[in-house]
Amino acid sequence: MTAQENADEAAAAYARGLDAGRIEQRLHGHDEHLRRINGSIDSMTQALTYLTEELRANATLFSANVTEGRRDASERDRIAAVRVEEAGIVASQRTVRWTAWQRLFAVVGAIVLVVNFGLGLYLAFGR
């Protein structure tokens, strides 16, 4: 080999070495980047898992509150129906039904009272 060929081959080997170094450096950079991406994906997965658990817990709590509210509403409706029924019984017991002869005596008594009051006024101021 001549010196020129030796120098050309050395330059070519040097260029191949530089290219190989650059490729290795780029691959190393890509590896680091992928590690960061995987770490981010892992943290996002963990965060989504926590959010899912919290959402399930809140949904369970909401469902329990709705069920309790329905039970409370039905209980309130039952109590209200009992109260209305009791009020109806009390109102019917308080309602006084007068018979015909009781009404007649009440009207006659009212007429007698008005006549006596008028007679009293006439005697008091009529003289």
Side-chain angles (χ1 to χ4, degrees), residues 2-3 6 8 13 28 32 35 38 42 47 65 92 95 97 102 104 109 126:
T2 64
N6 206 8
D8 286 340
H28 182 69
E32 285 298 315
R35 264 191 229 104
N38 286 340
D42 289 342
N65 287 340
S92 68
T95 304
R97 302 275 181 192
Q102 289 173 328
L104 178 68

Side-chain angles (χ1 to χ4, degrees), residues 27-84:
L27 287 177
H28 182 69
H30 288 302
D31 289 344
E32 285 298 315
H33 182 69
L34 289 175
R35 264 191 229 104
R36 275 188 255 129
I37 289 174
N38 286 340
S40 296
I41 290 173
D42 289 342
S43 6
M44 287 302 295
T45 304
Q46 189 176 15
L48 284 174
T49 302
Y50 290 145
L51 286 174
T52 303
E53 290 172 4
E54 185 177 351
L55 183 62
R56 282 186 183 145
N58 288 339
T60 303
L61 181 63
F62 178 72
S63 176
N65 287 340
V66 167
T67 303
E68 182 179 335
R70 284 185 190 146
R71 185 177 53 232
D72 289 347
S74 64
E75 185 70 18
R76 284 191 302 265
D77 291 344
R78 188 186 63 78
I79 291 171
V82 169
R83 298 282 189 243
V84 166

